[in-house]
């Protein structure tokens, strides 16, 4: 085997945004540094949302100011609209990830925009980047579609809904498109179906998968994605996190649990498992509760 699977670490953003504890920007920057020391090359470090809605993400500019650019490291900022994009550009993030929803219900709740309007918002950002900003070293751009496997407000999401949205985003020229199971409703067979449909709709795009373990299917879904040919997966150290706009949407799959599964299976990830476990335990102390991941409790095998 030996196939490399890129794991995008989302703990500093998606991991912390749903926790009761509000960590200072300096602590969040420290988390990024610890994760990079453990092998993370791409980290969703900040979210440019209004602190009134997500106070856990306040001070994104301070977090980025504490993280000078590093070679072969990419810090990603999540944005929900054009104002967020402006803030991201001002901080010098390496990548911008634009969040859009597969359903009107979640889009209206999360961003105040129906699907059609979200796509228009994304098209405006893409046009800005391709025109005036491309010559000035603008950050790379990706899009993440939330609620691909189910919406807390609109219910089931069809394969055709997902394929149509992926096709529309690919037609804008977005090179990396993420599919997110925001409420942890997916199953491995549905993962296979929607990955196949997304690939057919955007054969030239890189697909990235983002799973939550709300219903204990997260690692099985990640396995299904890898078996379907996906090479980029999101995960959150310690398995912390969730979505504040999706009732009951608990943590992401844990980075250390995913690394353990993949490396036991002969894949490469580039992470130091012991350092990840140590970081998971550290972030558990910082948020005031034990990290929910399996490896933060049991450790790896064989023991170091």
């Amino acid at each position: 085997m030996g196939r490399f699977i890129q794991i995008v670490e989302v703990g500093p953003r998606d991991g912390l945004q749903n926790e009761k504890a509000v960590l200072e920007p300096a602590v969040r920057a420290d988390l990024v540094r610890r994760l990079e020391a453990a092998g993370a090359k791409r980290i969703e470090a900040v979210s440019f949302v209004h602190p009134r809605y997500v106070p856990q993400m306040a001070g994104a500019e301070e977090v980025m100011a504490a993280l000078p650019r590093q070679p072969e490291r990419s810090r990603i900022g999540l944005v929900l609209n054009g104002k967020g994009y402006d803030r991201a550009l001002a901080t010098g993030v390496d990548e911008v990830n634009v969040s859009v929803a597969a359903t009107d219900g979640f889009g209206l709740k999360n961003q105040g925009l129906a699907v059609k309007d979200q796509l228009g918002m994304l098209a405006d950002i893409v046009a800005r980047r391709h025109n005036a900003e491309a010559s000035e070293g603008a950050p790379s751009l990706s899009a993440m579609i939330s609620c691909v496997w189910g919406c807390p407000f609109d219910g089931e999401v069809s394969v055709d809904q997902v394929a149509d949205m992926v096709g529309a985003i690919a037609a804008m020229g977005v090179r990396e498109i993420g599919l997110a199971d925001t409420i942890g409703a997916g199953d491995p067979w549905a993962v296979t179906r929607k990955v196949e449909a997304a690939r057919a709709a955007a054969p030239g795009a890189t697909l990235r998968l983002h799973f939550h373990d709300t219903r204990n299917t997260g690692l099985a879904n990640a396995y299904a994605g890898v078996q379907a040919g996906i090479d980029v997966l999101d995960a959150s150290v310690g398995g912390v996190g969730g979505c504040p706009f999706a009732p009951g949407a608990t943590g992401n799959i844990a980075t250390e649990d995913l690394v353990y599964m993949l490396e036991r299976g002969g894949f490469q990830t580039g992470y130091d498992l012991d350092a990840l476990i140590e970081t998971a335990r550290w972030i558990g102390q910082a948020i005031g509760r034990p990290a929910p991941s399996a490896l933060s409790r049991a450790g790896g095998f064989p023991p170091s």
Side-chain angles (χ1 to χ4, degrees):
M1 305 246 285
R3 177 175 144 207
F4 183 79
I5 305 296
Q6 183 184 82
I7 300 176
V8 180
E9 172 59 57
V10 299
R13 198 279 301 177
D14 202 19
L16 296 180
Q17 72 171 5
N18 205 38
E19 293 296 324
K20 291 181 180 179
V22 178
L23 302 185
E24 292 297 321
V27 179
R28 287 151 50 202
D30 190 16
L31 174 59
V32 172
R33 287 189 287 267
R34 288 169 183 262
L35 289 164
E36 289 179 342
K41 296 295 181 67
R42 294 178 72 194
I43 297 183
E44 201 164 76
V46 288
S47 176
F48 296 97
V49 297
H50 198 291
R52 179 169 68 251
Y53 302 114
V54 188
Q56 296 89 337
M57 292 292 101
E61 287 81 0
E62 295 173 63
V63 173
M64 290 305 302
L67 296 170
R69 282 186 167 171
Q70 297 288 335
E72 299 183 358
R73 297 286 188 273
S74 184
R75 285 75 175 255
I76 306 170
L78 181 84
V79 307
L80 302 183
N81 51 40
K83 289 183 178 179
Y85 185 61
D86 290 336
R87 288 180 62 197
L89 290 181
T91 65
V93 295
D94 301 293
E95 300 181 49
V96 171
N97 188 25
V98 184
S99 177
V100 293
T103 64
D104 287 339
F106 193 79
L108 290 167
K109 184 71 172 178
N110 193 41
Q111 291 156 274
L113 298 172
V115 169
K116 179 181 178 182
D117 297 320
Q118 290 178 82
L119 290 174
M121 174 271 295
L122 176 60
D124 289 343
I125 290 175
V126 171
R128 287 180 57 190
R129 187 188 182 281
H130 284 180
N131 295 332
E133 294 159 1
S135 62
E136 300 174 10
S140 59
L141 190 70
S142 61
M144 180 67 69
I145 306 173
S146 57
C147 296
V148 165
W149 283 275
C151 173
F153 309 108
D154 292 358
E156 296 287 356
V157 177
S158 72
V159 171
D160 288 343
Q161 278 178 273
V162 175
D164 289 347
M165 197 160 192
V166 169
I169 293 171
M172 298 176 195
V174 178
R175 301 288 297 275
E176 182 179 87
I177 302 171
L179 307 178
D181 188 9
T182 308
I183 62 171
D187 63 78
W189 301 274
V191 169
T192 301
R193 289 193 297 271
K194 288 182 176 174
V195 166
E196 290 174 348
R199 185 175 287 121
T206 297
L207 297 180
R208 169 179 159 194
L209 301 184
H210 177 110
F211 293 116
H212 286 230
D213 202 31
T214 310
R215 293 169 177 83
N216 204 33
T217 58
L219 284 179
N221 292 339
Y223 169 82
V226 170
Q227 290 298 99
I230 296 296
D231 293 319
V232 188
L233 295 167
D234 287 1
S236 171
V237 67
V240 297
C243 179
F245 301 103
T250 51
N252 302 261
I253 56 174
T255 311
E256 59 272 23
D257 293 356
L258 181 60
V259 166
Y260 176 79
M261 181 183 79
L262 291 171
E263 294 195 347
R264 286 283 288 184
F267 295 89
Q268 297 181 40
T269 67
Y271 279 84
D272 180 331
L273 185 59
D274 289 337
L276 274 177
I277 293 170
E278 181 181 344
T279 302
R281 292 169 177 165
W282 175 83
I283 196 59
Q285 292 175 347
I287 62 176
R289 69 180 183 95
S293 69
L295 266 78
S296 66
R297 298 188 303 270
F301 183 85
S304 299

